[in-house]
Amino acid sequence: MRIGELAKLTGCQSETVRFYEQKRLLPPPVRSQANYRMYDASHAERLHFIRRCRSLGMSLGEVETLLGYQDQPERSCSGVNALVDHQLSEIDRQILELKALRTELSTLRARCDSTRPAGQCAILRELTEHA
C-alpha cells in the first residue's frame, strides 16, 4: 500500500508516517519503480503500536525502547515493566499537581461571588498581588 493508504488505515497523517520513518521508529519501506513508498501489513501493525503507546502518554524515546523489546521477543520484559511503572508514577505526579492547581483555582474563584467592574475584581487583584 502507498503512504496515503497506510495513513488512512491507521488513522494518522502521511506526515506522521514520514516523521516516524525519519525517527527510525518505522522501518523504511520498499520503493516502487515509480519511487513510491510501498508499505505492508507489518508497517501498519507497527504504526498502530506506536500510536497506541503515544496515546498512553509515552515519549518517542519510550516508544523506541518498547519497540526494541518487541523486536527482540526473547528478552526479559522487566524493562517493559519498569517503563510502565515509571509512566504510572508520572501520571500519579501529574494528578497531584492538577489537584493542587484545581484547589488553587477554586480558592481564587471563591474570592469573587458576583459580577463587578474589572477594576474591582477580587480575582484580578489576587493575581496581581501574588504575581
Side-chain angles (χ1 to χ4, degrees):
M1 69 189 97
R2 290 176 40 184
I3 194 167
E5 295 168 301
L6 176 65
K8 185 176 181 179
L9 177 67
T10 57
C12 67
Q13 302 292 318
S14 297
E15 294 80 19
T16 304
V17 175
R18 287 187 199 97
F19 175 77
Y20 289 145
E21 279 180 37
Q22 183 182 46
K23 295 296 182 184
R24 301 186 191 276
L25 297 176
L26 277 179
V30 297
R31 296 279 185 158
S32 70
Q33 287 186 328
N35 205 29
Y36 289 114
R37 290 175 170 97
M38 299 303 294
Y39 300 91
D40 60 28
S42 68
H43 289 97
E45 183 179 308
R46 194 165 178 101
L47 190 52
H48 278 296
F49 181 88
I50 293 167
R51 289 181 46 81
R52 178 72 172 128
C53 290
R54 296 291 287 154
S55 75
L56 292 171
M58 294 179 191
S59 69
L60 291 178
E62 291 167 329
V63 173
E64 184 177 22
T65 298
L66 292 176
L67 286 169
Y69 281 95
Q70 192 175 53
D71 292 342
Q72 298 173 352
E74 70 284 349
R75 288 175 65 184
S76 166
C77 71
S78 63
V80 175
N81 293 336
L83 189 147
V84 171
D85 288 343
H86 174 74
Q87 190 71 10
L88 287 167
S89 295
E90 278 299 301
I91 290 168
D92 289 340
R93 182 191 58 77
Q94 290 171 356
I95 288 170
L96 288 175
E97 287 178 2
L98 286 170
K99 284 182 177 180
L101 179 61
R102 187 179 200 304
T103 298
E104 187 174 349
L105 284 170
S106 292
T107 301
L108 189 61
R109 177 60 181 96
R111 301 251 190 264
C112 185
D113 58 0
S114 64
T115 303
R116 301 178 187 162
Q120 298 173 7
C121 179
I123 293 173
L124 292 175
R125 189 171 43 252
E126 179 80 15
L127 289 171
T128 302
E129 291 173 2
H130 290 91

